[in-house]
Amino acid sequence: MIAENKMLDRPGVLIGDGSMAGFVFASYRHGPHVVHRISVVGPVGLKERIPLYRATLALTPADTYFCILDNSARYYNSLSFEDIKLLDTLLMDAGIATFYGATITLDAGYREIVELAKANVTNVGLNGKLMTTAIPEEAEAFIAEMIANTDSGK
């Protein structure tokens, strides 16, 4: 299930949610920002990610994308470097300039995917930061810090 919206010092307002193959998501507005909370509910690859990206990008009003992806259930995940490049192109084509993502996972292999994604973010000219953790509260704190930094102009 989707993690409840318990982060930040201001309440978030649900602006959209949905489910699709491999994912359920809920998007919350926090002031001018939207945080997408995504739970992996089945095996996922590029084919499953493209509709998710399109759905959440349609709810993203600014050029900064905030996301918490929860794969603590350890569903199979397939993502190549070419797939990551294509997804980054989708972000940029939608006007995203900065991407902040926290992944909750117990799978050490997922950390390798995030490292590939970090490398590509820099290569394609996106700003932002990505992290992985097994602890949901660390993901929450990371996104809260990125929002605070964005609000303060850092």
Side-chain angles (χ1 to χ4, degrees), residues 22-42:
F23 297 104
V24 294
F25 75 93
S27 300
Y28 295 89
R29 182 176 304 283
H30 290 273
H33 310 293
V34 173
V35 176
H36 305 289
R37 296 173 167 278
I38 302 163
S39 293
V40 181
V41 295

Side-chain angles (χ1 to χ4, degrees), residues 2 14-20 23-29 32-39 48-69 87 90-92 94-96 98-100:
I2 293 180
L14 180 67
I15 62 165
D17 61 0
S19 62
M20 53 204 58
F23 297 104
V24 294
F25 75 93
S27 300
Y28 295 89
R29 182 176 304 283
H33 310 293
V34 173
V35 176
H36 305 289
R37 296 173 167 278
I38 302 163
S39 293
E48 292 77 23
R49 278 183 170 81
I50 290 173
L52 174 71
Y53 269 57
R54 289 189 175 134
T56 58
L57 285 166
L59 298 169
T60 305
D63 67 352
T64 303
Y65 187 100
F66 297 93
C67 173
I68 297 174
L69 175 69
L87 294 172
L90 284 177
L91 291 168
M92 294 172 63
I96 300 300
T98 306
F99 183 96
Y100 295 113

Side-chain angles (χ1 to χ4, degrees), residues 99-120:
F99 183 96
Y100 295 113
T103 299
I104 303 165
T105 183
L106 304 172
D107 180 1
Y110 208 101
R111 286 170 177 62
E112 294 173 16
I113 291 172
V114 171
E115 290 304 315
L116 283 174
K118 283 180 184 179
N120 193 61

Side-chain angles (χ1 to χ4, degrees), residues 3-8 37 67-70 72 102-106 131-146:
E4 59 184 87
N5 192 42
K6 60 186 176 185
M7 67 172 240
L8 303 173
R37 296 173 167 278
C67 173
I68 297 174
L69 175 69
D70 185 348
S72 55
T103 299
I104 303 165
T105 183
L106 304 172
M131 62 90 72
T132 60
T133 181
I135 304 167
E137 293 80 12
E138 287 181 3
E140 298 277 344
F142 172 78
I143 293 298
E145 179 184 352
M146 297 303 103

